[in-house]
Amino acid sequence: MTTKEKLHDIIFESDTPKGKTFDVLLLWAIIISVSVVMLESVASIRLEYGNELRILEWTFTIIFSIEYLVRLWVVKKPLEYVFSFYGIIDLLSVIPTYLALVITGPQYLIVIRTIRLIRVFRVLKMTRFLGEANQLRKAMEASRHKITIFIIVVMSIVTIMGTAMYLIEGPEYGFTSIPKGVYWAIVTLTTVGYGDIAPSTPLGQVLAAIIMIMGYAIIAVPTGIVTAEITRQSLGGLSQKTCRNCSREGHDMNSKFCKYCGSEL
């Protein structure tokens, strides 16, 4: 086995002692690095330990940058990894610190590293969670057209209702424009109800009541769509193997070849 293949097994596999150790260390590094950024946002701590926190932040960023480059080196198809879910998250987790050299504030966006904690499912051999996550992803993909239509319908409703409320209430009651009315309709339809603006006329209150009742009915629609798709999914157990050729996961427990590219696992 070549050095590249050994590194691939350590970095991408978690069912070997070295691979599990690597993933555990990586998870701890992610947790500590995110904690450092959170502490730096506290003014009193930043004033007293600002330099130390920035040194730690840069140390972790360099470590993650090296890790990202090594991942690109050990995979057979780097571009596929770059545009994969984990590849995009790994890249986004290091970019903010470099952007902070020219722009103030982006370093706090490295909290996106918390998404990398999804790897804890692999480390703890929680394959059942991987299967359920994959099932939910497929259900969301299958529902995307229905949900898109649903969102368009909802946006049409709030636009009509917001315009009607603008005409009924007018600027004297806080509805100074149609966008303001649409904002109120969205807040009301979603049952959030900030209370910063409310109808005062009887007709406006009747319309508000109608929108509130519609809100309870509409909220159930996307839930029902996704639930229906989930019930249609029937996935078996998934292994923790990662294909050396395409770096994709989610293979069946007894699979010997990658179901995406056909390479031997």
Side-chain angles (χ1 to χ4, degrees):
M1 185 179 292
T2 64
T3 302
K4 183 181 290 188
E5 291 175 339
K6 290 180 181 178
L7 285 174
H8 183 279
D9 289 346
I10 293 174
I11 294 175
F12 286 95
E13 303 291 350
S14 61
D15 54 356
T16 62
K18 291 182 179 179
K20 185 173 183 179
T21 300
F22 174 82
D23 281 346
V24 169
L25 292 175
L26 179 63
L27 293 176
W28 275 111
I30 293 169
I31 293 172
I32 296 173
S33 66
V34 172
S35 300
V36 167
V37 175
M38 295 175 67
L39 290 173
E40 190 182 0
S41 67
V42 181
S44 58
I45 297 177
R46 184 171 62 251
L47 289 174
E48 188 170 357
Y49 302 103
N51 292 330
E52 291 82 353
L53 291 174
R54 278 189 288 274
I55 291 173
L56 284 173
E57 181 183 322
W58 272 104
T59 300
F60 283 115
T61 297
I62 292 172
I63 291 174
F64 290 134
S65 299
I66 294 173
E67 179 224 352
Y68 179 75
L69 293 175
V70 173
R71 286 179 182 272
L72 291 179
W73 179 61
V74 299
V75 296
K76 291 185 177 180
K77 297 180 179 179
L79 281 179
E80 288 192 7
Y81 172 73
V82 168
F83 293 104
S84 66
F85 172 77
Y86 282 119
I88 293 173
I89 296 301
D90 291 347
L91 179 60
L92 292 178
S93 68
V94 298
I95 286 179
T97 306
Y98 295 110
L99 288 178
L101 293 174
V102 292
I103 305 174
T104 304
Q107 68 272 20
Y108 298 119
L109 295 177
I110 67 174
V111 293
I112 198 173
R113 289 175 186 168
T114 54
I115 300 179
R116 302 187 70 191
L117 293 175
I118 294 174
R119 286 190 172 95
V120 73
F121 295 143
R122 287 161 40 85
V123 177
L124 299 180
K125 298 185 182 298
M126 297 180 180
T127 54
R128 179 170 61 87
F129 291 95
L130 287 175
E132 292 177 354
N134 194 36
Q135 184 177 355
L136 179 59
R137 177 184 61 81
K138 288 187 175 182
M140 293 297 292
E141 289 179 353
S143 306
R144 65 185 184 277
H145 299 301
K146 296 177 183 177
I147 292 177
T148 299
I149 295 174
F150 168 75
I151 292 175
I152 292 173
V153 171
V154 170
M155 291 307 299
S156 299
I157 291 174
V158 296
T159 301
I160 294 171
M161 293 296 187
T163 302
M165 191 60 72
Y166 167 72
L167 295 174
I168 294 171
E169 295 290 317
E172 61 270 25
Y173 293 112
F175 292 84
T176 56
S177 64
I178 291 178
K180 190 77 171 180
V182 172
Y183 158 78
W184 171 85
I186 293 173
V187 171
T188 305
L189 190 68
T190 56
T191 68
V192 175
Y194 289 130
D196 54 341
I197 179 174
S200 300
T201 64
L203 184 56
Q205 291 172 350
V206 169
L207 182 60
I210 294 173
I211 297 177
M212 292 175 194
I213 295 173
M214 288 177 59
Y216 284 106
I218 288 177
I219 287 175
V221 174
T223 304
I225 292 174
V226 176
T227 302
E229 290 297 337
I230 290 177
T231 57
R232 294 173 57 184
Q233 304 292 330
S234 57
L235 297 178
L238 299 178
S239 71
Q240 302 177 61
K241 295 179 180 179
T242 302
C243 177
R244 291 180 180 175
N245 184 52
C246 65
S247 301
R248 299 186 68 172
E249 303 175 353
H251 304 94
D252 298 332
M253 293 296 292
N254 59 349
S255 60
K256 296 182 179 180
F257 297 90
C258 176
K259 61 182 180 183
Y260 301 106
C261 68
S263 300
E264 185 176 1
L265 296 175

